[in-house]
Amino acid sequence: MAERRAANRTAHRPAKGAEVPGVAPRRLALDLLARIEDDGAWANLVVPRALDRCDLGDADRRLVTELTYGTVRQRRRLDAIIDPFLDRRPADVAVRALRLGVYQLEVGFPDHAALNTTVGAVPKRWRGLVNAVLRNVVRSDPPRWRSLGEELSYPDWIVERLETDLGRDVAEEALEAMNRPVAPTVRADGYTQDRASTWVTDAVGALPGELVVDVCAAPGGKATGMAASGATVIAADLVAHRVDLVVENAARLGSDVHAVRADATSPPLRNRSADRVLVDAPCSGLGVMHRRPDLRWRVAPEDPANLAKLQRRLLEAAAPLVKPGGTLTYSVCTLTRAESVDVVEAFLDDHPEFGADAPLEGPWESDGPVSILLPQREGTDGMALATLHRAPQH
Ligand SMILES: C[S@@+](CC[C@H](N)C(=O)[O-])C[C@H]1O[C@@H](n2cnc3c(N)ncnc32)[C@H](O)[C@@H]1O
């Protein structure tokens, strides 16, 4: 704290008209925060696009990403730090700047750098307020957190849901892990994909010459991965522009993937035609909140139950495509039981012709017929997966 105060006393003022170095990335971060929070743009889409168009150097680009993602992710925690110093909430632009400034203090940027650069990036009329509040934060003790959701910056319902589904300690570790950014991994063929998705592809176990149907395939990460084993892959997706992504990725990688636009609740394929079917279903995404920093604020408490109904329908519609003796793999990048264990158990209850394979080992743990990959185990996405075998005589 003493060091922080000293830094503040010596904060330098640039010559009139000159911009403090480091202001430009903060200004871009503030612009991006407005687009994410006011216009509803997805952080993982809008940030890379803006960086492609800006003329900042590499270090500043990395800084913009860290500041934007971190400030979005930590919003609730940052607000809890800021709120005691505000009589009433100022304009959104000032609130965003306060969050951005406090985020930098929280992750250890020097006080003077965090303050000067943030204040310099704010419209003039808000500079006094932003400067005063940030100085107060620097001088204050850390707040007493009123809840785990406030401390780790998640909506309470997500904390409660994961605590119920995973147990308190495991849930807390998962939530902490999903506050740490993950570095993207690149496959041998150049496709960027989290290791957890590669492991799902491995679990499908496609063999040379087999026909594999991936009913929810876009952008094609798993489809192209499965094709690399020598299988022929039919990759379907409901959304036309997402089918285009599969086409582009398959062409770039030279994969034997046939992309089609199709609704997986009624797939236009012959029954018993596929050796393997993958249902990599749309889900609440609560296992990938480290990669999608705004997701936690966008998912609604009723989403897991609603998505579970769709997931159950997708499994039901995919099952007839599987040849006798073939496999049906179900995967989701979430950690709720409603979307994993409950979906798979309900399916197995209705389909005696299918049985679950033994859960996976290694970093995976099991919950009934489902293998769960917790994000804290290997620093990957969180996943749930089940491999269901169709009996040879059915
Ligand atoms: C988790 S993503 C798939 C990711 C993909 N398997 C990969 O590894 O790159 C789920 C996909 O399901 C698609 N989807 C949602 N509802 C669908 C439906 N009824 N039929 C087919 N695809 C659907 C979404 O458009 C989305 O692309």
Side-chain angles (χ1 to χ4, degrees), residues 214-222 237-239 242 262-265 280-282 314:
D214 181 350
V215 292
C216 294
K222 297 184 188 73
D237 203 277
L238 180 65
V239 184
R242 292 183 61 77
D263 185 346
T265 59
D280 189 33
L314 293 170

Side-chain angles (χ1 to χ4, degrees), residues 92-366:
D92 288 348
V93 60
V95 173
R96 285 193 289 271
L98 288 170
R99 290 174 180 155
L100 179 68
V102 175
Y103 174 74
Q104 293 165 77
L105 298 174
E106 283 277 284
V107 296
F109 281 67
D111 299 349
H112 62 276
L115 263 67
N116 288 346
T117 52
T118 305
V119 170
V122 181
K124 275 209 177 90
R125 65 169 294 207
W126 296 109
R127 285 184 187 167
L129 175 117
V130 169
N131 192 36
V133 172
L134 291 179
R135 278 170 186 273
N136 279 333
V137 171
V138 167
R139 282 192 288 265
S140 69
D141 291 328
R144 265 211 210 106
W145 306 113
R146 285 171 294 191
S147 65
L148 189 64
E150 190 174 80
E151 182 179 0
L152 298 184
S153 194
Y154 287 91
D156 291 329
W157 78 266
I158 292 184
V159 177
E160 286 156 18
R161 182 69 54 97
L162 294 192
E163 283 182 345
T164 304
D165 288 0
L166 302 173
R168 218 193 168 106
D169 293 347
V170 173
E172 190 171 334
E173 284 169 20
L175 293 165
E176 278 173 359
M178 289 187 284
N179 274 344
R180 293 192 283 273
V182 275
T185 41
V186 181
R187 289 193 322 219
D189 62 4
Y191 189 87
T192 302
Q193 185 180 48
D194 190 80
R195 282 178 302 152
S197 289
T198 322
W199 297 337
V200 171
T201 306
D202 293 345
V204 174
L207 297 172
E210 285 187 338
L211 179 69
V212 180
V213 181
D214 181 350
V215 292
C216 294
K222 297 184 188 73
T224 52
M226 293 186 294
S229 68
T232 297
V233 178
I234 297 179
D237 203 277
L238 180 65
V239 184
H241 73 264
R242 292 183 61 77
V243 177
D244 294 343
L245 297 176
V246 180
V247 173
E248 283 162 26
N249 283 322
R252 187 166 51 84
L253 302 174
S255 305
D256 188 10
V257 168
H258 305 267
V260 288
R261 202 199 77 76
D263 185 346
T265 59
S266 55
L269 295 161
R270 250 185 315 119
N271 285 351
R272 298 162 178 251
S273 57
D275 296 289
R276 295 171 202 271
V277 175
L278 171 62
V279 180
D280 189 33
C283 69
S284 60
L286 299 188
V288 293
M289 291 187 283
H290 39 357
R291 278 199 291 116
R292 297 171 60 185
D294 43 350
L295 187 73
R296 64 190 70 186
W297 311 122
R298 296 188 196 257
V299 183
E302 60 276 16
D303 287 350
N306 289 334
L307 284 156
K309 286 184 205 141
L310 172 63
Q311 291 153 356
R312 181 72 188 80
R313 284 176 65 204
L314 293 170
L315 258 190
E316 192 64 35
L321 307 180
V322 182
K323 275 181 189 168
T327 60
L328 175 59
T329 304
Y330 174 75
S331 59
V332 278
C333 58
T334 193
L335 300 169
T336 66
R337 292 192 98 229
E339 297 171 87
S340 54
V341 181
D342 294 354
V343 169
V344 173
E345 284 184 341
F347 173 83
L348 287 171
D349 281 348
D350 289 351
H351 289 274
E353 76 278 21
F354 279 90
D357 281 7
L360 299 173
E361 313 220 322
W364 299 80
E365 29 219 282
S366 65

